Amino acid sequence: MHRSGLSDEELIRLVVVGDVELFEVLMHRHQDHVSRIAGGHVPSEMVPEVAHEVFVKAYTGLATFAFEQPFPHWLATIAIRTCYDFWRTHKGADVPVSALTADHQRWIDRVLATQSDEEFSEQSRQQEATEVLQWALAQLSPENRMVVTLVHLDGHSVQEAADVLGWSVVNVKVRAHRARQALRHLLMNER
Amino acid sequence: MTPEDETMRKLEQALAKAHRARQTLPLGPEWTQRVMREVRRGGIQEGPASARFGLETFIWQSAGLAVALALILTVSLMIWSPSPSSEDIGAVAEEFEPTPLFHE
């Protein structure tokens, strides 16, 4: 069998015993998955750097992979925690987010005035939508930002968010509620 | 639901939809090679995670040994330690002269 046809588990076992080059097969297989996760949490220009860190961490910790869950789940946990570390380290200072402009205010007004689903979808695809979201998330603490993204934007359950972040369910639940209130307050004040 | 809640719900939905529609660029072969260069430099055996894994294994193995030793020590102390026999207690009782607490 060609080595790229091996399962994730088989590849991991071979990498751990010293076949380093096979880690590249795992990377090829899962880099889109990691890139998508990172892209949902950090600015697009930072995705390669964060994904790089995720795979280096995954390689370094590969011996601790317990084969109790699928490899992509394990990788996703590393990716999300790396994104959280990114925001704790940068604290928004190195990632400037421009203030809302008149264009953004107009976009908010247009969204609120939409009547049809089609029109609503069209507005959601506008560049202003992404910019308003980035602006609003930038106002939150790294902890609240992670919870809002995982629970309210990605649609994960509180339990899933707690598992990947390594926090208690109560902590995530309280943060999810408070962060949503804070976000609503921010958006309401911009109207 | 108040009109204000309805407004916020609509705005949140639009932002969530924008979030889900985001595009990510492929990382490319150069990126893969950069990561692989770093991976080749730092071996798994020398990595912090595997070192931690080794330490954890050592601690757990030592814990079992420590419990066994503690058990043996406790049992041997119970068997071999000198305990006051009933004769000794009798001798002490004979030597003891009770005195009244208050002078009459």
Side-chain angles (χ1 to χ4, degrees):
Chain A
M1 186 195 285
H2 193 265
R3 283 147 71 94
S4 60
L6 297 172
S7 70
D8 284 351
E9 287 72 19
E10 289 167 327
L11 286 169
I12 291 164
R13 286 195 173 92
L14 290 169
V15 174
V16 168
V17 295
D19 201 339
V20 181
E21 296 307 313
L22 280 180
F23 190 70
E24 195 171 337
V25 180
L26 281 170
M27 275 178 61
H28 276 299
R29 207 174 274 181
H30 300 289
Q31 67 185 42
D32 287 348
H33 173 58
V34 169
S35 169
R36 257 195 312 277
I37 293 170
H41 291 274
V42 301
S44 54
E45 65 271 21
M46 302 307 294
V47 168
E49 187 187 309
V50 170
H52 182 128
E53 202 178 330
V54 170
F55 278 105
V56 170
K57 280 182 185 172
Y59 174 74
T60 313
L62 210 55
T64 64
F65 178 66
F67 300 96
E68 288 165 353
Q69 57 177 331
F71 181 62
H73 289 197
W74 186 72
L75 213 47
T77 303
I78 296 175
I80 288 166
R81 290 182 185 183
T82 305
C83 292
Y84 173 47
D85 289 342
F86 172 86
W87 287 114
R88 281 200 303 176
T89 312
H90 291 76
K91 294 194 189 299
D94 306 336
V95 190
V97 176
S98 53
L100 293 191
T101 63
D103 284 344
H104 297 122
Q105 310 284 355
R106 276 194 289 275
W107 175 83
I108 292 174
D109 291 339
R110 282 201 303 273
V111 167
L112 299 178
T114 53
Q115 297 296 324
S116 67
D117 288 347
E118 200 177 315
E119 201 185 344
F120 184 78
S121 296
E122 173 56 33
Q123 290 302 331
S124 301
R125 283 195 293 271
Q126 302 276 316
Q127 178 64 23
E128 284 90 343
T130 311
E131 289 167 357
V132 169
L133 181 61
Q134 291 311 316
W135 170 84
L137 291 174
Q139 317 300 313
L140 302 176
S141 68
E143 291 77 15
N144 287 355
R145 182 188 183 112
M146 292 308 292
V147 169
V148 163
T149 308
L150 287 169
V151 177
H152 298 307
L153 299 176
D154 288 339
H156 288 289
S157 69
V158 168
Q159 179 70 61
E160 287 167 342
D163 288 345
V164 292
L165 290 167
W167 300 348
S168 72
V169 170
V170 174
N171 186 4
V172 172
K173 212 177 262 184
V174 170
R175 279 194 184 282
H177 178 72
R178 286 185 186 162
R180 189 179 206 174
Q181 293 301 109
L183 208 56
R184 284 185 165 203
H185 186 71
L186 281 165
L187 293 168
M188 194 59 84
N189 285 348
E190 288 303 317
R191 284 191 60 221
Chain B
M1 189 182 277
T2 64
E4 197 175 82
D5 285 341
E6 179 59 28
T7 300
M8 289 317 301
R9 193 190 58 79
K10 208 167 182 181
L11 201 49
E12 281 178 352
Q13 276 184 349
L15 294 175
K17 208 163 184 171
H19 174 77
R20 285 193 287 272
R22 70 193 181 274
Q23 302 282 328
T24 45
L25 294 170
L27 293 164
E30 283 178 17
W31 173 88
T32 307
Q33 287 317 309
R34 271 202 306 277
V35 180
M36 281 308 291
R37 271 199 295 276
E38 189 167 341
V39 160
R40 286 185 200 105
R41 276 203 302 269
I44 279 187
Q45 299 308 318
E46 295 161 14
S50 56
R52 191 171 63 241
F53 179 72
L55 185 67
E56 282 169 9
T57 310
F58 173 74
I59 288 169
W60 280 110
Q61 284 172 350
S62 308
L65 192 67
V67 168
L69 274 173
L71 207 63
I72 292 166
L73 201 64
T74 309
V75 171
S76 59
L77 275 173
M78 284 170 71
I79 294 169
W80 299 108
S81 66
S83 59
S85 65
S86 53
E87 284 176 14
D88 293 337
I89 292 170
V92 171
E94 277 172 15
E95 285 171 12
F96 181 72
E97 290 178 13
T99 53
L101 282 175
F102 302 100
H103 294 288
E104 289 177 7

